[in-house]
Amino acid sequence: MEQRVEKEGKNRNATEKGLKKRRRKRKIRRRIVDTHKVHLCSDVPEGVSPCITKYWYQRYNLFSRYDEGIEMDEEGWFSVTPEDIAIRHAEKSGNGLVIDCFSGVGGNAIQFAHLCCHVIAIDINARKVGYSLNNARIYGVEDYIDFIIGDFFLLAPLLKADVLFLSPPWGGPSYIAAEKFSLQMLKPKDGYSLFQVAQKTTPNIIMFLPRNVDVNQVEELSWLSSPPLEVEIEENYVKGKLKGITAYFGDIAYG
């Protein structure tokens, strides 16, 4: 009986020691993670604004050839489509003429140019168009893109294309604070007005929208045409994280 009590006591002590060791290991593991974060922060180059630091860490998701001289303004960092998603958009667009109506720093236009015959890239900001041209040169597709400085809404009546790509400004990173992102929150015009203008050029439209967008509103856009357009909605992930929602309208839906 005494031996059993003594043995149980030893087992309990061994168990307690094991638990202490495990707890110690867990604490060390957490410290390593925290140290790693501090080490990463020290890698951020001078001149990178604190508000875009997290996007800088994702730079190769945005442009795989970032180190070759990619140029972006601050807005470009949080508004450019991640490269893998831009490739997906291009694959769905077919091989005709694509108009990128709010081309920004060129993330989508570059991938469309890789797979399509020709691209018209429009942006109202001359500096962004300059960045887009520079970035297209890095990818070797500048000869397949016509760069236009202008307002899409003024140019729309003059445009003809096989596919229109719409990724209008979402209002900056604060969009994620909304429980449901409404199409009325898009800039410079609400999503309904934008879609009505776009469909006069072609019914084949790709819209890239925030991950928290009201999907019911997106589906309603298809009813702005008579007869209603086919619509396909997909979630876009990068490394397991949901980055946005893409809606495909017209002949490219389910294509």
Side-chain angles (χ1 to χ4, degrees), residues 90-154:
E91 290 170 345
K92 288 279 287 181
S93 67
N95 59 358
L97 173 62
V98 177
I99 299 177
D100 185 347
C101 305
F102 305 90
S103 59
V105 296
N108 278 97
I110 288 168
Q111 299 308 325
F112 285 129
H114 268 299
L115 296 178
C116 304
C117 291
H118 207 80
V119 181
I120 297 174
I122 301 170
D123 203 280
I124 201 167
N125 186 311
R127 183 175 292 181
K128 288 185 193 298
V129 173
Y131 294 147
S132 184
L133 175 57
N134 170 79
N135 299 339
R137 283 178 177 145
I138 289 169
Y139 280 81
V141 295
E142 72 276 16
D143 291 338
Y144 302 96
I145 305 174
D146 287 329
F147 298 92
I148 297 177
I149 302 168
D151 184 335
F152 165 68
F153 295 100
L154 297 178

Side-chain angles (χ1 to χ4, degrees), residues 2-252:
E2 286 177 4
Q3 284 180 347
R4 197 186 306 151
V5 170
E6 190 178 335
K7 203 178 280 184
E8 286 175 357
K10 285 180 180 177
N11 289 340
R12 195 180 299 115
N13 288 337
T15 304
E16 286 174 358
K17 284 179 183 176
L19 287 170
K20 283 178 182 175
K21 280 183 181 176
R22 279 182 208 152
R23 288 192 195 108
R24 208 173 293 130
K25 281 180 184 175
R26 283 198 199 103
K27 284 179 181 175
I28 291 169
R29 211 172 282 133
R30 276 196 288 267
R31 285 193 192 114
I32 289 170
V33 169
D34 290 342
T35 304
H36 186 54
K37 284 179 180 175
V38 171
H39 175 68
L40 284 174
C41 287
S42 66
D43 290 337
V44 180
E46 288 183 21
V48 173
S49 166
C51 67
I52 62 168
T53 298
K54 76 169 187 175
Y55 302 102
W56 186 84
Y57 288 136
Q58 302 170 42
R59 61 197 181 281
Y60 300 117
N61 293 337
L62 305 179
F63 289 99
S64 59
R65 300 177 70 171
Y66 175 82
D67 289 340
E68 296 178 41
I70 292 294
E71 295 179 348
M72 288 186 276
D73 58 2
E74 188 167 297
E75 185 181 9
W77 278 100
F78 56 74
S79 63
V80 68
T81 304
E83 190 166 281
D84 284 349
I85 299 175
I87 291 170
R88 168 65 177 164
H89 293 158
E91 290 170 345
K92 288 279 287 181
S93 67
N95 59 358
L97 173 62
V98 177
I99 299 177
D100 185 347
C101 305
F102 305 90
S103 59
V105 296
N108 278 97
I110 288 168
Q111 299 308 325
F112 285 129
H114 268 299
L115 296 178
C116 304
C117 291
H118 207 80
V119 181
I120 297 174
I122 301 170
D123 203 280
I124 201 167
N125 186 311
R127 183 175 292 181
K128 288 185 193 298
V129 173
Y131 294 147
S132 184
L133 175 57
N134 170 79
N135 299 339
R137 283 178 177 145
I138 289 169
Y139 280 81
V141 295
E142 72 276 16
D143 291 338
Y144 302 96
I145 305 174
D146 287 329
F147 298 92
I148 297 177
I149 302 168
D151 184 335
F152 165 68
F153 295 100
L154 297 178
L155 294 170
L158 308 173
L159 301 173
K160 289 296 174 189
D162 297 297
V163 174
L164 230 60
F165 177 72
L166 303 174
S167 182
W170 299 351
S174 60
Y175 77 87
I176 201 61
E179 186 177 345
K180 284 262 187 180
F181 185 93
S182 168
L183 291 180
Q184 279 91 349
M185 296 166 70
L186 290 174
K187 308 291 181 184
K189 293 188 179 182
D190 67 89
Y192 296 100
S193 300
L194 172 60
F195 195 85
Q196 285 180 316
V197 171
Q199 67 176 344
K200 290 176 183 176
T201 299
T202 177
N204 304 319
I205 297 168
I206 302 173
M207 288 188 81
F208 185 50
L209 299 161
R211 60 182 182 261
N212 57 337
V213 71
D214 187 333
V215 176
N216 291 327
Q217 288 187 343
V218 178
E219 290 176 345
E220 287 172 1
L221 293 175
S222 66
W223 291 89
L224 294 176
S225 287
S226 181
L229 297 171
E230 287 283 339
V231 58
E232 175 189 2
I233 295 175
E234 70 178 14
E235 295 178 333
N236 302 113
Y237 291 81
V238 175
K239 294 187 177 179
K241 292 186 177 180
L242 181 61
K243 293 294 184 178
I245 301 289
T246 303
Y248 302 95
F249 296 90
D251 295 340
I252 54 175

